[in-house]
Structure formats: structure tokens, C-alpha cells
Amino acid sequence: MLIGPAATKAEIEAFRARLSARPDNYIAQPTLALSACPTFVESGIAPRHIDLRPFVLSGKNVTIVPAA
């Protein structure tokens, strides 16, 4: 995996070679800014990034399922 905005030029070039050799092994997605949520920490309350990924089964009925 390569996170483009955080990668060095050397990391990008190395990944480019791996991608060119096996393009079918990779997908791309944009980087997103995560939301922040107030969180209890040792010093009190501080913002922490969160990433909510609901898993939904959709068909005749729609069900949100527990997942890790």
C-alpha cells in the first residue's frame, strides 16, 4: 500500500515499478480527511480521528451487521 501524499519520491518510484509489473494486484482510492470526535484521555478530553465503516447487507431487507 502507498499513501501518496505521505510518500517520498523514492517510495513512489519503487511502488510505480511494482504497480507496472502487476497492475491487476492494486486498486486506488482517494485519501480522505477523517472526522474528529471528543475522546477521554489521561489529561481530559481531546479530539481524536474516527473512521466509521458500517457493514450493510442489502437485498429484500437491509441489515447493518456487526463487524471488526
Side-chain angles (χ1 to χ4, degrees), residues 6-41:
T8 66
K9 287 182 181 181
E11 289 170 327
I12 292 170
E13 288 307 314
F15 201 83
R16 184 186 317 270
R18 291 170 45 201
L19 178 61
S20 294
R22 294 293 311 268
D24 55 316
N25 278 354
Y26 299 94
I27 62 167
Q29 73 180 55
T31 54
L32 304 173
L34 298 177
S35 299
C37 178
T39 306
F40 286 106
V41 295

Side-chain angles (χ1 to χ4, degrees), residues 31-55:
T31 54
L32 304 173
L34 298 177
S35 299
C37 178
T39 306
F40 286 106
V41 295
E42 276 188 35
S43 59
I45 297 177
R48 294 292 185 261
H49 293 293
I50 59 172
D51 183 5
L52 175 64
R53 295 178 186 222
F55 291 82

